[in-house]
Amino acid sequence: TFTPGALLNFCPLPDALSIANDFDTATSYLAISVPSGVSCAVGKISLQSLSDFVGSGFAAVSNNCNHIWSNAEANVDKLNNASTVFIGCDVAIGATGWRNSVFIGTDAGRNSTTPNVGLATDTSCIFIGNQAGRDADNIANTIAVGTNAGYNAYNSSRSIYIGSNAGAEMHGNDNIGIGAHAVRGSGVSSVGTRNIEIVAGLLDNQRLMYSSGNLSDALNIQNTIAGNTNAKKISVGHATLNPDAPFSVRRNTVAVPEHATNDMIQSWWCEGVKVAHIDCSGRFVGNMFVEGVASGIIAAPTSPSSPTTGTMTVKNSGWQDVTNITVQNKNPGFSVSNNAYIQAVFVNGTYRLIRT
């Protein structure tokens, strides 16, 4: 028995490390005086608990190999998390079930919980940023980086959210959001999987995915390339999440004033030279059909299988010379005189004269 205030004589005691091969900081104790009112009592404290107490508010390796660097008030749950790094003021308060994860930032992972009986499963989440991953319950293998990234993104495993508010309120697996507000839930929340959104410099309500309800397999890159990856349909230009064809080119001079610089919907270029385009009337404009004059006589062939050839000077809409091309004449009985007006069409790799 011990009388409070009596002298403890440790001198004759053997060194603890010399008598126990299984010395364990969690089950090895020190006696400590605990003042209570005007009297004192003696209690015990484990070396691990003493280390946690003395090191509160400083960096420490605690129970279950949790690495904690936070204010004393954070009160990180050391028993219901394992092998996880916690850094930041009030980091991971109320967080449980995490193993082999990283929480960095004020309130990062706060109140985030995931079922993990016996801490046997590697949840392996990374939450970095002020309130990143806060209230993000029941997820694993998700990366959330940025202020509020992954905030309340419960049931959102195997996802990547990078940017302020990226992935906030999104509830679904396998989503990728890069940029501020990317794949952010609409209104209160959204449910969907396999969505991809990359945006830069857009407000939340400027995104194609804003207020779109529950989405899956949606793609949006800066509101310029968008579509549905499951349906294998993509739109470009004034993009839409629901294109009407495998490849939809969309022009809109009202929504996108820059589209008004010309009348083209789509163009084709070869070796730095535009060779054709489609205008807003649906007309194909290109080198398939050309007009101009004959540069010399083009004789009539004896049969279509034995065409004659000649040279044509191609003219533009202002009737200026563009280039000279070789043309074939497959029409028996049809000859062309020098400097006569002619038309040609590109067929099977050669320009063929059209009888006019």
Side-chain angles (χ1 to χ4, degrees), residues 43 96 154 161 179 196 218 271 293 312 323 336 354-355:
T96 59
Y154 56 82
Y161 303 128
I196 301 172
E271 305 295 344
V293 296
M312 173 183 180
T323 186
V336 177
I354 302 172
R355 193 165 187 170

PDB file of all heavy atoms in Angstrom, residues 43 96 154 161 179 196 218 271 293 312 323 336 354-355:
ATOM      1  N   GLY A  43      -1.997   7.461  -9.191  1.00  0.00           N
ATOM      2  CA  GLY A  43      -2.550   6.633 -10.249  1.00  0.00           C
ATOM      3  C   GLY A  43      -1.446   6.171 -11.170  1.00  0.00           C
ATOM      4  O   GLY A  43      -0.268   6.426 -10.931  1.00  0.00           O
ATOM      5  N   THR A  96     -13.391   8.441 -38.023  1.00  0.00           N
ATOM      6  CA  THR A  96     -13.083   7.074 -37.600  1.00  0.00           C
ATOM      7  C   THR A  96     -13.074   6.138 -38.802  1.00  0.00           C
ATOM      8  O   THR A  96     -13.700   6.405 -39.823  1.00  0.00           O
ATOM      9  CB  THR A  96     -14.120   6.552 -36.588  1.00  0.00           C
ATOM     10  OG1 THR A  96     -15.422   6.571 -37.189  1.00  0.00           O
ATOM     11  CG2 THR A  96     -14.129   7.384 -35.313  1.00  0.00           C
ATOM     12  N   TYR A 154     -19.946  11.852 -49.626  1.00  0.00           N
ATOM     13  CA  TYR A 154     -20.050  10.488 -49.118  1.00  0.00           C
ATOM     14  C   TYR A 154     -20.399   9.528 -50.258  1.00  0.00           C
ATOM     15  O   TYR A 154     -20.932   9.920 -51.287  1.00  0.00           O
ATOM     16  CB  TYR A 154     -21.067  10.396 -47.983  1.00  0.00           C
ATOM     17  CG  TYR A 154     -22.463  10.885 -48.287  1.00  0.00           C
ATOM     18  CD1 TYR A 154     -23.380  10.073 -48.945  1.00  0.00           C
ATOM     19  CD2 TYR A 154     -22.876  12.148 -47.878  1.00  0.00           C
ATOM     20  CE1 TYR A 154     -24.671  10.512 -49.206  1.00  0.00           C
ATOM     21  CE2 TYR A 154     -24.163  12.600 -48.139  1.00  0.00           C
ATOM     22  CZ  TYR A 154     -25.053  11.769 -48.809  1.00  0.00           C
ATOM     23  OH  TYR A 154     -26.328  12.214 -49.074  1.00  0.00           O
ATOM     24  N   TYR A 161     -10.689  14.534 -56.877  1.00  0.00           N
ATOM     25  CA  TYR A 161     -11.228  15.885 -56.853  1.00  0.00           C
ATOM     26  C   TYR A 161     -10.088  16.852 -56.545  1.00  0.00           C
ATOM     27  O   TYR A 161      -9.518  16.812 -55.453  1.00  0.00           O
ATOM     28  CB  TYR A 161     -12.317  16.024 -55.785  1.00  0.00           C
ATOM     29  CG  TYR A 161     -13.461  15.050 -55.940  1.00  0.00           C
ATOM     30  CD1 TYR A 161     -13.875  14.253 -54.873  1.00  0.00           C
ATOM     31  CD2 TYR A 161     -14.130  14.915 -57.147  1.00  0.00           C
ATOM     32  CE1 TYR A 161     -14.933  13.362 -55.005  1.00  0.00           C
ATOM     33  CE2 TYR A 161     -15.180  14.025 -57.298  1.00  0.00           C
ATOM     34  CZ  TYR A 161     -15.569  13.254 -56.224  1.00  0.00           C
ATOM     35  OH  TYR A 161     -16.613  12.364 -56.375  1.00  0.00           O
ATOM     36  N   GLY A 179     -10.334  21.367 -61.200  1.00  0.00           N
ATOM     37  CA  GLY A 179     -10.678  22.781 -61.322  1.00  0.00           C
ATOM     38  C   GLY A 179     -11.722  23.166 -60.301  1.00  0.00           C
ATOM     39  O   GLY A 179     -12.439  22.314 -59.756  1.00  0.00           O
ATOM     40  N   ILE A 196     -16.587  13.053 -65.680  1.00  0.00           N
ATOM     41  CA  ILE A 196     -15.295  13.714 -65.823  1.00  0.00           C
ATOM     42  C   ILE A 196     -15.549  15.176 -66.168  1.00  0.00           C
ATOM     43  O   ILE A 196     -16.253  15.473 -67.133  1.00  0.00           O
ATOM     44  CB  ILE A 196     -14.437  13.069 -66.918  1.00  0.00           C
ATOM     45  CG1 ILE A 196     -14.186  11.579 -66.622  1.00  0.00           C
ATOM     46  CG2 ILE A 196     -13.111  13.803 -67.066  1.00  0.00           C
ATOM     47  CD1 ILE A 196     -13.497  10.845 -67.762  1.00  0.00           C
ATOM     48  N   ALA A 218     -20.928  11.468 -67.839  1.00  0.00           N
ATOM     49  CA  ALA A 218     -20.896  12.775 -68.487  1.00  0.00           C
ATOM     50  C   ALA A 218     -19.461  13.274 -68.588  1.00  0.00           C
ATOM     51  O   ALA A 218     -18.622  13.030 -67.715  1.00  0.00           O
ATOM     52  CB  ALA A 218     -21.738  13.778 -67.714  1.00  0.00           C
ATOM     53  N   GLU A 271      -1.813  20.213 -94.393  1.00  0.00           N
ATOM     54  CA  GLU A 271      -0.491  20.830 -94.494  1.00  0.00           C
ATOM     55  C   GLU A 271      -0.565  22.353 -94.312  1.00  0.00           C
ATOM     56  O   GLU A 271       0.101  23.127 -95.014  1.00  0.00           O
ATOM     57  CB  GLU A 271       0.159  20.504 -95.849  1.00  0.00           C
ATOM     58  CG  GLU A 271       0.263  19.027 -96.172  1.00  0.00           C
ATOM     59  CD  GLU A 271       1.187  18.275 -95.217  1.00  0.00           C
ATOM     60  OE1 GLU A 271       1.963  18.943 -94.503  1.00  0.00           O
ATOM     61  OE2 GLU A 271       1.129  17.040 -95.193  1.00  0.00           O
ATOM     62  N   VAL A 293     -10.734  27.884-116.564  1.00  0.00           N
ATOM     63  CA  VAL A 293     -10.610  27.847-118.025  1.00  0.00           C
ATOM     64  C   VAL A 293      -9.559  26.827-118.426  1.00  0.00           C
ATOM     65  O   VAL A 293      -8.641  26.523-117.656  1.00  0.00           O
ATOM     66  CB  VAL A 293     -10.244  29.235-118.582  1.00  0.00           C
ATOM     67  CG1 VAL A 293     -11.351  30.250-118.313  1.00  0.00           C
ATOM     68  CG2 VAL A 293      -8.930  29.740-117.990  1.00  0.00           C
ATOM     69  N   MET A 312      -5.944  22.797-116.532  1.00  0.00           N
ATOM     70  CA  MET A 312      -7.020  23.731-116.214  1.00  0.00           C
ATOM     71  C   MET A 312      -6.493  24.778-115.237  1.00  0.00           C
ATOM     72  O   MET A 312      -5.809  24.457-114.262  1.00  0.00           O
ATOM     73  CB  MET A 312      -8.199  22.982-115.585  1.00  0.00           C
ATOM     74  CG  MET A 312      -9.314  23.856-115.057  1.00  0.00           C
ATOM     75  SD  MET A 312     -10.588  22.831-114.254  1.00  0.00           S
ATOM     76  CE  MET A 312     -11.749  24.088-113.748  1.00  0.00           C
ATOM     77  N   THR A 323      -4.683  28.210-109.115  1.00  0.00           N
ATOM     78  CA  THR A 323      -3.640  27.228-109.384  1.00  0.00           C
ATOM     79  C   THR A 323      -3.941  26.547-110.706  1.00  0.00           C
ATOM     80  O   THR A 323      -5.038  26.705-111.273  1.00  0.00           O
ATOM     81  CB  THR A 323      -3.569  26.181-108.251  1.00  0.00           C
ATOM     82  OG1 THR A 323      -2.445  25.332-108.476  1.00  0.00           O
ATOM     83  CG2 THR A 323      -4.825  25.336-108.208  1.00  0.00           C
ATOM     84  N   VAL A 336     -12.581  20.342-125.656  1.00  0.00           N
ATOM     85  CA  VAL A 336     -12.545  21.681-125.061  1.00  0.00           C
ATOM     86  C   VAL A 336     -11.500  22.513-125.793  1.00  0.00           C
ATOM     87  O   VAL A 336     -10.366  22.068-125.993  1.00  0.00           O
ATOM     88  CB  VAL A 336     -12.213  21.614-123.556  1.00  0.00           C
ATOM     89  CG1 VAL A 336     -12.120  23.015-122.970  1.00  0.00           C
ATOM     90  CG2 VAL A 336     -13.235  20.778-122.812  1.00  0.00           C
ATOM     91  N   ILE A 354     -16.428  18.037-116.327  1.00  0.00           N
ATOM     92  CA  ILE A 354     -17.869  17.916-116.344  1.00  0.00           C
ATOM     93  C   ILE A 354     -18.380  18.610-117.602  1.00  0.00           C
ATOM     94  O   ILE A 354     -18.038  19.759-117.890  1.00  0.00           O
ATOM     95  CB  ILE A 354     -18.514  18.570-115.105  1.00  0.00           C
ATOM     96  CG1 ILE A 354     -17.972  17.943-113.808  1.00  0.00           C
ATOM     97  CG2 ILE A 354     -20.025  18.444-115.139  1.00  0.00           C
ATOM     98  CD1 ILE A 354     -18.406  18.653-112.571  1.00  0.00           C
ATOM     99  N   ARG A 355     -19.187  17.926-118.371  1.00  0.00           N
ATOM    100  CA  ARG A 355     -19.724  18.531-119.599  1.00  0.00           C
ATOM    101  C   ARG A 355     -20.770  19.573-119.231  1.00  0.00           C
ATOM    102  O   ARG A 355     -21.736  19.294-118.528  1.00  0.00           O
ATOM    103  CB  ARG A 355     -20.328  17.452-120.487  1.00  0.00           C
ATOM    104  CG  ARG A 355     -20.632  17.936-121.897  1.00  0.00           C
ATOM    105  CD  ARG A 355     -20.871  16.760-122.812  1.00  0.00           C
ATOM    106  NE  ARG A 355     -21.002  17.189-124.222  1.00  0.00           N
ATOM    107  CZ  ARG A 355     -21.030  16.351-125.225  1.00  0.00           C
ATOM    108  NH1 ARG A 355     -20.949  15.032-125.004  1.00  0.00           N
ATOM    109  NH2 ARG A 355     -21.139  16.783-126.477  1.00  0.00           N
TER     110      ARG A 355
END
